[in-house]
Amino acid sequence: APSGSSSINSISLANTDSVLKTLNDPDSYKHDESSYTLHLNRKNEAPFAIVKTTFRAKNGFGAMMKASVTVRVDLKTMEMKIIEQQSI
């Protein structure tokens, strides 16, 4: 199983890659902040992390917009599922 900050960095980079695929202008992407919460000892549940990335990027009209995406990451399989996306 993944451990330490290198795993969180890998998750954060994978999250960024998934965000870039959805952007109108990926070259305009500017990372603002990433944060995470680990959930390791939940009864009847595999360990997981919740990772939130806040960023700025151009929308379809060329204006810079701020947005965030939050994913749940299974720490055993590294499978990611988007649980929230929002414009700020």
Side-chain angles (χ1 to χ4, degrees), residues 9-51:
N9 289 339
S10 297
I11 293 166
S12 200
L13 288 172
N15 190 17
T16 298
D17 287 344
S18 67
V19 168
L20 288 173
K21 291 176 186 172
T22 67
L23 295 179
N24 192 52
D25 181 358
D27 292 335
S28 70
Y29 174 87
K30 303 285 185 219
H31 178 263
D32 284 337
E33 175 180 25
S34 290
S35 61
Y36 64 91
T37 307
L38 298 176
H39 300 269
L40 303 176
N41 296 317
R42 293 213 141 165
K43 194 172 187 172
N44 301 321
E45 238 181 326
F48 66 94
I50 301 295
V51 181

Side-chain angles (χ1 to χ4, degrees), residues 1 4 8-9 20-21 31 33 35 39-41 43-44 50 53 61-63 68 71 74 76 78-79 81-82 84 88:
I8 295 303
N9 289 339
L20 288 173
K21 291 176 186 172
H31 178 263
E33 175 180 25
S35 61
H39 300 269
L40 303 176
N41 296 317
K43 194 172 187 172
N44 301 321
I50 301 295
T53 300
F61 301 105
S68 70
V71 296
D74 182 310
K76 288 188 177 184
M78 300 306 285
E79 180 181 332
K81 179 181 178 183
I82 294 173
E84 182 180 64
I88 301 172

Side-chain angles (χ1 to χ4, degrees), residues 53-73:
T53 300
T54 304
F55 61 94
R56 291 171 283 129
K58 289 183 181 177
N59 66 12
F61 301 105
M64 285 298 274
M65 303 296 290
K66 192 170 186 177
S68 70
V69 63
T70 304
V71 296
R72 177 186 169 126
V73 183

